[in-house]
Amino acid sequence: MRRRTLLAGAGALASAAAPPPPAAGTARAADPAPSVTRTGTTQLDAQAVYFVSYDGLVNNNSFQKNGLLTYKGYQYAVWYTAARNAVVARRVLGATSWSTVTLSHQLKSSDSHNVISMGVSKVDGRLHLNMDSHSDGYFYVKSVAGLMDNPSGTAWTSAVFGAVQTSLDGLALTSQFTYPQFVATPEGRLQLSYRVAVSGNGRNALAEYDGSSWTALGEWTGSTGTYTSEHGSSTARNMYLHGIDYDVNGRLHAFFTWRENAAAVMCSSGGISNHDTGYVYSTDRGRSWRNDAGTVVGTTGSSDTVAVTDAGLVVDALNPDHSLMNQESQSTDSTGLPHAIISYVPGRFGQCTTDYVADRTAGGRAFHVRKNSAGTWTKTEIPVALNSTQRTKLVLDRYDNAYAVMPYGRIVAASKASAYTDWTLLFDGGDLNAFGEVVIDETRIAQDGVLSFMYQEKSSGTTPSALHVVDFQLPV
C-alpha cells in the first residue's frame, strides 16, 4: 500500500473527542488540510455474490443509499451472499468483527441494479431495508421500533425484523420500481426516493413514513417535452439523480442529469444519451421544487412536475456527445452549500464518444461542481484519470475539505482553503484489489471523523469474492 498523508503543521491528528470547529462565519485559526490515515479493514463476507452487469456489482453500486450507514455508535452493512441470501450486519464503531443476520429473501436475478438500501426512521428508531428491484416490484422489511436507539440492549437476531413484504406496509407505490434511496427528514420522518417506469421514460417520486404508516407523496419529475441537440430531438427521457440530501438548514438538494430516450440526439449510437448537470432544491420537505434562482418549477404529486423544458435547471451544460455519467455523487457542506461530482470525456479528447466503455476508460475525467458563498457555480477538474467507466463518491469532512473516492478505492482530496483547487491523490487503493465503485458511509464522518467505504474484490465470471469495509481517519 502507498499512501500520501497531508497534515497542517506538525504533530499527530487530534483525538476524536476534540471540540467541534467554530460555527460557520466565526474567526478561527487555519483549519487542517485534508488527510487520510488508514486505521483498519474488516471483512464482511469471504464469499459474497459476484457477477458484473451494467458495468457494476449488486453489492457496490453508486446509487445504493445506503448500503453502509452509522447510527448512535453502531455501523450497519447490507449485501447478498454467494448463496444470494440478503444479509444485514452491524458492529460497534471501531470493532473488528460484525454480527450478521440473514433475512428470508434471496436475490431474484443477476442484475446489478437490484441493490439493498437502508434507512433509519428516527421518529421510532426502526431500520428499514428496500431490496431487489429493477423496473419491477420490490421487497421491503423493517425492524422493531427502538432497535436503532438501543442497539446494545436489543439482541441482533432475525426476530427483530418483520416479514419480508412486497409493499410498504400495504402501500404498493408502482409495479415498475427502481433506485430506492432513503433520506431522513429533519423532524425524524423517513422518506423514500424512487423511480417510476423505465430508463428513458421514467419519473422520480417520493414516499414518506411518519412512524406509523407510509404515504405516497407522488411523482415530482416529468418525462415528456422535447429536447433538441445539434443532431436531433427526443420527446421522452429520465432524470437520474446524483443523490437526494437534506442540509443543516433543512433544505433538500438534488443534482441530476437527463437521459434521452432517442439515440438521435447523439453524435454516435455508441455513446450514452446523458446531457447537462441540473440542480433543484426543496424548502418544504419535497412537496415543491425550485431551480437555482428560487423559482418553483414543480409540485410533487401534481401535473406540474420538473421537466426538461423548465428554465434555470442547468448548472453545467454539456451535450450528449461526451458520455456524461448519471447517478454520480453529491453532498452539502457545513453551511448548506451544495457540491457534486460529475464525470465525462472532456472535449480535448474529442467531441464525439463512439464507444462508451472504451472512451470513458481512456479519457474520462471527474469534476467537482459546487455553489460558492457568493451564489455562483464553479467547476474544477480532478487531475487524476478515471481509468474506468465507473462513478466517484464525494464526502466532506468537518472542515468542509472535499474527498472524492474514485473507482478502485483511490482517494483524492482538495481543501476548502484553496477553493477546492488543490486536488491531490492521498491513497492509491493499490492493495485493495477493488472491483471499481465503492459504497460510502455518508453518515459516519459527522459522528467520529472516519471515512468508511465498502468494496468488493475483483473476481471473474460468477466466482464469489470477499467483501470488505475499510476505514480512514480524517482530520478531527
Side-chain angles (χ1 to χ4, degrees), residues 192-371:
L192 176 63
S193 167
Y194 59 98
R195 186 185 73 188
V196 177
V198 298
S199 176
N201 193 19
R203 288 95 60 197
N204 291 316
L206 287 171
E208 185 174 271
Y209 175 76
D210 64 4
S212 60
S213 62
W214 282 94
T215 301
L217 301 183
E219 298 174 12
W220 62 273
T221 72
S223 59
T224 59
T226 300
Y227 167 79
T228 301
S229 75
E230 60 190 281
H231 310 293
S233 296
S234 170
T235 57
R237 69 204 42 83
N238 183 86
M239 178 197 282
Y240 278 99
L241 299 179
H242 288 310
I244 186 165
D245 297 279
Y246 282 97
D247 68 19
V248 294
N249 304 309
R251 178 176 287 190
L252 185 61
H253 302 260
F255 285 90
F256 61 88
T257 61
W258 296 107
R259 179 180 293 178
E260 298 301 321
N261 194 35
V265 300
M266 298 186 291
C267 61
S268 169
S269 61
I272 190 169
S273 60
N274 296 336
H275 63 90
D276 297 324
T277 297
Y279 168 78
V280 290
Y281 69 91
S282 173
T283 58
D284 56 6
R285 308 302 187 255
R287 270 64 176 181
S288 64
W289 296 89
R290 298 173 183 268
N291 65 15
D292 184 47
T295 303
V296 174
V297 289
T299 301
T300 301
S302 77
S303 59
D304 181 20
T305 53
V306 181
V308 73
T309 52
D310 285 329
L313 300 182
V314 176
V315 297
D316 187 69
L318 188 71
N319 69 22
D321 297 341
H322 296 274
S323 290
L324 175 68
M325 177 51 72
N326 51 281
Q327 297 166 295
E328 198 109 23
S329 187
Q330 68 173 42
S331 187
T332 60
D333 67 21
S334 64
T335 66
L337 291 171
H339 298 241
I341 297 291
I342 66 173
S343 66
Y344 58 88
V345 180
R348 66 180 182 271
F349 297 114
Q351 295 297 331
C352 179
T353 58
T354 59
D355 185 320
Y356 160 75
V357 173
D359 291 345
R360 272 188 61 90
T361 302
R365 296 294 187 272
F367 298 81
H368 177 215
V369 177
R370 68 184 181 95
K371 189 174 185 178

Side-chain angles (χ1 to χ4, degrees), residues 61-292:
N61 241 319
S62 179
F63 48 79
Q64 190 175 354
K65 184 183 178 81
N66 296 283
L68 189 67
L69 68 81
T70 296
Y71 192 76
K72 293 192 174 181
Y74 277 70
Q75 190 173 39
Y76 300 80
V78 285
W79 71 94
Y80 297 104
T81 68
R84 295 177 171 253
N85 295 313
V87 167
V88 56
R90 73 177 185 184
R91 65 168 174 170
V92 175
L93 283 183
T96 58
S97 61
W98 297 75
S99 299
T100 300
V101 169
T102 301
L103 302 174
S104 58
H105 178 74
Q106 289 187 307
L107 177 66
K108 65 188 180 186
S109 63
S110 294
D111 185 334
S112 64
H113 288 81
N114 291 17
V115 300
I116 308 174
S117 294
M118 293 185 287
V120 178
S121 52
K122 298 179 181 179
V123 67
D124 61 357
R126 295 183 194 267
L127 180 65
H128 302 249
L129 278 67
N130 192 294
M131 306 176 282
D132 207 353
S133 61
H134 185 197
S135 302
D136 54 11
Y138 59 85
F139 299 86
Y140 166 73
V141 66
K142 67 180 182 183
S143 76
V144 297
L147 171 69
M148 306 300 282
D149 295 325
N150 183 28
S152 63
T154 308
W156 187 246
T157 68
S158 58
V160 304
F161 292 95
V164 176
Q165 308 175 48
T166 54
S167 69
L168 300 178
D169 296 332
L171 181 65
L173 297 180
T174 173
S175 61
Q176 292 183 308
F177 179 101
T178 316
Y179 304 129
Q181 297 190 62
F182 288 108
V183 59
T185 72
E187 299 81 15
R189 299 192 298 270
L190 184 65
Q191 294 180 325
L192 176 63
S193 167
Y194 59 98
R195 186 185 73 188
V196 177
V198 298
S199 176
N201 193 19
R203 288 95 60 197
N204 291 316
L206 287 171
E208 185 174 271
Y209 175 76
D210 64 4
S212 60
S213 62
W214 282 94
T215 301
L217 301 183
E219 298 174 12
W220 62 273
T221 72
S223 59
T224 59
T226 300
Y227 167 79
T228 301
S229 75
E230 60 190 281
H231 310 293
S233 296
S234 170
T235 57
R237 69 204 42 83
N238 183 86
M239 178 197 282
Y240 278 99
L241 299 179
H242 288 310
I244 186 165
D245 297 279
Y246 282 97
D247 68 19
V248 294
N249 304 309
R251 178 176 287 190
L252 185 61
H253 302 260
F255 285 90
F256 61 88
T257 61
W258 296 107
R259 179 180 293 178
E260 298 301 321
N261 194 35
V265 300
M266 298 186 291
C267 61
S268 169
S269 61
I272 190 169
S273 60
N274 296 336
H275 63 90
D276 297 324
T277 297
Y279 168 78
V280 290
Y281 69 91
S282 173
T283 58
D284 56 6
R285 308 302 187 255
R287 270 64 176 181
S288 64
W289 296 89
R290 298 173 183 268
N291 65 15
D292 184 47

